[in-house]
Amino acid sequence: IKKIIIYPIKSLDGISITDVKISSGGTLSGDREFALLDENGKYLNGKKNEKLYHLRTSFDLQQRIVFFKNIIEDTSEYFNLDNERNRIEEWLQDYFSKKIKFIQNHSSGFPDDVDAYGPTIVSEGSLFEISKWFDGIPVNELERRFRPNIILDSQQAFLEDCLVGNEQKDFPFTIGNISFIGATICQRCVVPSKDPITGEKYDSFQKIFAEMRKTTLPEWSDKNRFDHFYRLCINTKIPFSEAGKILSVGDKLEFAENIS
């Protein structure tokens, strides 16, 4: 592992950490632990709400502090994540000009894929390859666009594709002493096509990505896993029995012994 990133509040900025405990729900502890709901009980996300792109967040995880910054008005405030929920909701309601509910799930968070609820994984080489397809988009920005949890220290593009196996079967592997199951290659939404700071959309992003993904598909990538090629990162599951174990930067990926 080269990098571990968690996103304490779903749809908002992530934070890079060196190690993380596996939660009782089979997720990275603290990842998408909180989420924002609108007046209809729907998640706020970057697909439709442009104001999210002008809201920066940073965290002091030890002190359980979140820092919000409105980059348009250059205003900021900080809150305790556990003890100031009402104040957080009031600040967010003022920012979004709508009713906001700030919710928490400590055990499993609010994963994007409820079936493959574990961390998403991509190789650094994949991000470098994709940066060649889009003039002006550097690797660190692609990281923010695709929001992976684990970046593998490999320059092999799309190495992660081999972690989902063939014939629609789950694929077991380990990282460090933690068991993982590779489930699917992640289907992407409109969010990666948008600048993570401004929200400006890159025209034809999805079309270019799908065409190049198909053209550069490695031999180990099972085409049966692709109903379309706008896919990147793998979705995983971590067995609940792994709860309490620690995942760290530098941990090594290994295939299960019974997998050739």
Side-chain angles (χ1 to χ4, degrees):
I1 296 179
K2 181 162 188 177
K3 187 180 287 190
I4 299 171
I5 309 165
I6 62 171
Y7 304 86
I9 303 175
K10 188 180 179 73
S11 298
L12 295 179
D13 294 328
I15 179 171
S16 181
I17 56 178
T18 57
D19 51 66
V20 62
K21 183 183 291 187
I22 303 304
S23 74
S24 60
T27 62
L28 304 186
S29 292
D31 185 48
R32 297 167 173 87
E33 178 181 349
F34 299 92
L36 311 181
L37 300 182
D38 64 16
E39 64 272 19
N40 298 314
K42 303 293 186 181
Y43 292 127
L44 262 69
N45 57 52
K47 297 175 186 177
K48 296 181 180 179
N49 198 308
E50 297 302 315
K51 275 199 164 185
L52 276 170
Y53 292 96
H54 305 136
L55 178 60
R56 301 271 66 80
T57 51
S58 56
F59 301 90
D60 182 333
L61 296 179
Q62 287 191 331
Q63 298 298 320
R64 299 289 288 171
I65 298 296
V66 57
F67 299 84
F68 289 121
K69 182 170 184 178
N70 177 343
I71 63 174
I72 298 298
E73 298 182 3
D74 195 25
T75 58
S76 60
E77 185 60 275
Y78 69 92
F79 305 92
N80 184 282
L81 285 163
D82 302 311
N83 303 326
E84 298 185 287
R85 305 281 184 81
N86 290 339
R87 288 190 61 222
I88 291 173
E89 287 183 350
E90 290 173 1
W91 193 91
L92 292 171
Q93 285 171 177
D94 181 64
Y95 175 76
F96 287 105
S97 301
K98 62 167 63 179
K99 186 176 181 180
I100 299 294
K101 189 71 174 176
F102 188 67
I103 60 173
Q104 180 187 27
N105 185 326
H106 182 70
S107 63
S108 60
F110 301 95
D112 293 334
D113 188 323
V114 296
D115 295 318
Y117 45 80
T120 55
I121 300 177
V122 72
S123 78
E124 185 179 48
S126 300
L127 299 177
F128 275 107
E129 174 65 24
I130 295 165
S131 71
K132 300 174 185 176
W133 306 346
F134 298 98
D135 183 41
I137 303 184
V139 168
N140 63 342
E141 183 178 322
L142 288 169
E143 181 183 302
R144 293 173 65 98
R145 286 174 181 252
F146 287 101
R147 301 170 65 82
N149 289 120
I150 296 172
I151 298 179
L152 300 175
D153 188 11
S154 171
Q155 295 309 302
Q156 181 64 66
F158 312 117
L159 170 70
E160 65 278 359
D161 284 3
C162 72
L163 300 178
V164 295
N166 299 317
E167 300 176 356
Q168 304 299 319
K169 294 179 181 178
D170 289 344
F171 186 89
F173 60 94
T174 62
I175 303 180
N177 68 340
I178 298 172
S179 296
F180 284 76
I181 298 171
T184 59
I185 300 174
C186 185
Q187 176 173 272
R188 311 312 308 205
C189 64
V190 69
V191 170
S193 70
K194 297 183 177 183
D195 186 299
I197 303 299
T198 67
E200 181 180 359
K201 190 173 182 180
Y202 190 116
D203 291 337
S204 302
F205 183 93
Q206 182 172 338
K207 180 180 179 181
I208 294 169
F209 184 99
E211 289 176 349
M212 293 302 300
R213 186 76 161 100
K214 182 177 181 180
T215 300
T216 61
L217 196 70
E219 61 181 12
W220 58 79
S221 298
D222 181 9
K223 288 186 178 180
N224 292 326
R225 290 288 195 170
F226 294 84
D227 54 347
H228 59 79
F229 290 91
Y230 188 46
R231 291 180 178 270
L232 180 72
C233 302
I234 65 161
N235 294 318
T236 70
K237 294 180 280 189
I238 297 178
F240 299 151
S241 59
E242 304 301 276
K245 293 183 178 181
I246 303 298
L247 185 73
S248 301
V249 168
D251 283 352
K252 292 188 177 181
L253 165 70
E254 294 183 356
F255 295 155
E257 291 183 2
N258 62 336
I259 299 296
S260 60

